[in-house]
Amino acid sequence: MSNDQRCCVQTDKKSDGKWYYVVVVDGETGVLMGPHDTEDEALAAGQKELENLGICDDEE
């Protein structure tokens, strides 16, 4: 049985001028998290959360 899950981090800038991220696993969208001052900060935070979850392998 394979544990291949498709995972990604999506970022979005809201009307407050702040950046937010959401983790998506196998098409299931998580909770919008933030705010962050820049898109890079939001992306880094989302990638860290994905790493902490430990459910997605980057190795192929």
Side-chain angles (χ1 to χ4, degrees), residues 22-36:
V22 64
V23 173
V24 181
V25 179
D26 284 341
E28 295 291 324
T29 303
V31 178
L32 195 64
M33 302 293 289
H36 299 277

Side-chain angles (χ1 to χ4, degrees), residues 9-53:
V9 176
Q10 296 177 345
T11 58
D12 188 31
K13 188 173 187 179
K14 296 293 186 183
S15 60
D16 63 1
K18 299 288 186 176
W19 286 91
Y20 296 79
Y21 74 86
V22 64
V23 173
V24 181
V25 179
D26 284 341
E28 295 291 324
T29 303
V31 178
L32 195 64
M33 302 293 289
H36 299 277
D37 291 329
T38 67
E39 183 177 18
D40 287 340
E41 288 176 8
L43 186 57
Q47 289 171 338
K48 182 174 175 86
E49 180 179 340
L50 199 56
E51 182 180 307
N52 289 341
L53 291 172

